[in-house]
């Protein structure tokens, strides 16, 4: 069968984010490589050419492409959501209300709500039930312009259920059109009954779960929640180092609720990312700037928890750290899957510019997942993962906030969501 081909023509702006493949730091973070009156030509699942629309016309005719008129719209890479906890049962609307009545996230967790509550429901749920709920969310991710989604386990907290969640991710990956990137996050919370023998849980992860996860090829990354009320530096070092020995690349929930030295550990282990960073100090900013660890900021969780302490986005960017953005989609701290809203929060609350936020949510996020050779920018040879936004200037995406500007989502060269009838 001949490869199908699409010609996106005459976009007001094409945000190419083209470059030399490096993660973007400092001023480069705001370089979007804009082509006005631009076009993109795809062939099969890849991008064939990007440039001024007129310069692509002849080849488009030769290839007998289907044409998509993009006048008055912005064409850009699909969002890469590099931090989510997509697979869980039920939700936590009741915790939400308890917080509004004055209880803190930690108090709710200690009273049996929080992660433990979701873990109880997730243990009881069947694989089919978990697939169904997550699949419905993934359709929403696609409709809002996200084309690659990292997915953490972490609501199992025992070997059997953590593996069940990772199998659910594998099934979802086969049946949805989005690319999913699985991460083992068994060190998310201590399961009940282990309070006096924390070491036993860690040992089980190191000796059983990590080897089985790697052996069944169920994840490429290993994560841990290093914080007060979660796990210590020593415990996380043991888990991440074991992951690394089995070929799982570390990432860390770092300095979210308190400062614990998580960033130092992430840098020491060469983690792919350190995420959250609300309590990062000046030395941590330096450490990240001097490393290749991607600083993943999650402004949805700051917004939803009403945090007073925000991650030092400006200082990280100015010092030269690689900054990315993600939703942290999860039932407790960020039940939001719209990356466009994350751009609004990144600009209004973290003081990033719209251009920085776009780059952090696409190319740098792809680096956080070690997928920047495939996604995150519009360049020949990369996957044809692109979105068409109903705005004629990219700055309007965060500016007209809390609405969905995504008119069309293309994944691997196929239209998977469209507001227009084609
Ligand atoms: O990234 N920090 C830990 N994990 C999640 C929250 C999980 C939950 O509350 O269910 C986070 O914020
Ligand atoms: Fe998280």
């Amino acid at each position: 069968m001949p490869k199908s081909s699409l010609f996106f023509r005459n976009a007001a702006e094409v945000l190419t984010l083209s470059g030399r493949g490096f993660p973007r730091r400092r001023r480069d973070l705001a370089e979007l490589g804009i082509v006005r009156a631009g076009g993109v030509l795809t062939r099969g699942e890849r991008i064939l050419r990007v440039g001024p629309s007129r310069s692509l016309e002849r080849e488009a005719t030769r290839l007998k492409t289907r044409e998509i008129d993009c006048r008055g719209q912005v064409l850009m890479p699909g969002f890469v959501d590099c931090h989510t906890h997509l697979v869980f049962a039920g939700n936590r609307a009741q915790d939400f209300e308890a917080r509004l009545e004055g209880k803190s996230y930690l108090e709710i967790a200690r009273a049996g709500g929080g992660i433990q509550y979701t873990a109880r429901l997730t243990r009881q749920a069947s694989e089919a039930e978990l697939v169904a709920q997550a699949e419905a969310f993934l359709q929403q991710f696609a409709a809002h312009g996200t084309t690659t989604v990292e997915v953490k386990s972490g609501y199992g907290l025992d070997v059997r259920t953590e593996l069940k969640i990772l199998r659910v991710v594998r099934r979802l990956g086969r049946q949805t059109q989005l690319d999913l990137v699985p991460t083992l996050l068994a060190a998310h919370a201590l399961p009940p009954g282990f309070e006096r023998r924390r070491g036993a849980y860690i040992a089980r992860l190191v000796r059983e779960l990590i080897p089985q996860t790697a052996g069944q090829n169920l994840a490429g990354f290993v994560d841990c929640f290093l914080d007060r009320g979660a796990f210590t530096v020593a415990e996380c070092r043991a888990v991440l180092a074991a992951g690394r020995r089995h070929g799982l690349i570390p990432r860390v929930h770092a300095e979210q609720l308190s400062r614990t030295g998580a960033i130092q550990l992430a840098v020491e282990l060469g983690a792919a990312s350190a995420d959250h960073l609300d309590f990062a100090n000046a030395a941590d900013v330096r450490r990240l700037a001097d490393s290749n660890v991607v600083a993943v900021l999650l402004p949805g969780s700051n917004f939803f928890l009403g945090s007073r302490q925000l991650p030092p986005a400006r200082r990280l960017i100015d010092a030269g750290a690689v900054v990315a953005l993600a939703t942290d989609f999860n039932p407790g701290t960020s039940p939001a899957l719209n990356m466009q809203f994350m751009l609004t929060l990144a600009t209004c609350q973290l003081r990033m510019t719209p251009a920085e936020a776009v780059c952090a949510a696409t190319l740098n996020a792809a680096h956080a997942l070690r997928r920047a050779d495939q996604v995150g920018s519009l360049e020949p040879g990369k996957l044809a993962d692109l979105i068409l936004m109903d705005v004629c200037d990219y700055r309007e995406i965060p500016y007209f906030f809390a609405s969905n500007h995504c008119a069309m989502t293309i994944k691997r060269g196929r239209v998977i969501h469209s507001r227009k009838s084609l």
Side-chain angles (χ1 to χ4, degrees), residues 25-26 284-293 316 319-322:
R25 301 174 191 259
R26 295 195 180 83
D284 295 328
V285 168
R286 253 294 28 97
R287 282 187 187 99
L288 287 169
D290 291 341
S291 79
N292 291 320
V293 178
L316 285 162
V322 182

Side-chain angles (χ1 to χ4, degrees), residues 83 85 92 105 114-115 118 155 185 188 225 253 256-257 276 298 301 305 328 330-334:
H83 181 142
H85 307 248
R92 298 238 290 282
Y105 180 70
I115 295 171
T118 302
Y155 293 115
L185 172 62
H188 194 195
F225 186 14
H253 276 71
Q256 178 185 10
L257 307 170
H276 286 286
L298 304 159
S301 63
L305 292 179
D328 197 15
N330 77 73
T333 67
S334 190

Side-chain angles (χ1 to χ4, degrees), residues 265-286:
L265 181 68
V267 171
E268 174 194 317
L269 294 176
S273 68
D275 305 43
H276 286 286
L277 316 181
D278 307 8
F279 286 84
N281 68 14
D284 295 328
V285 168
R286 253 294 28 97

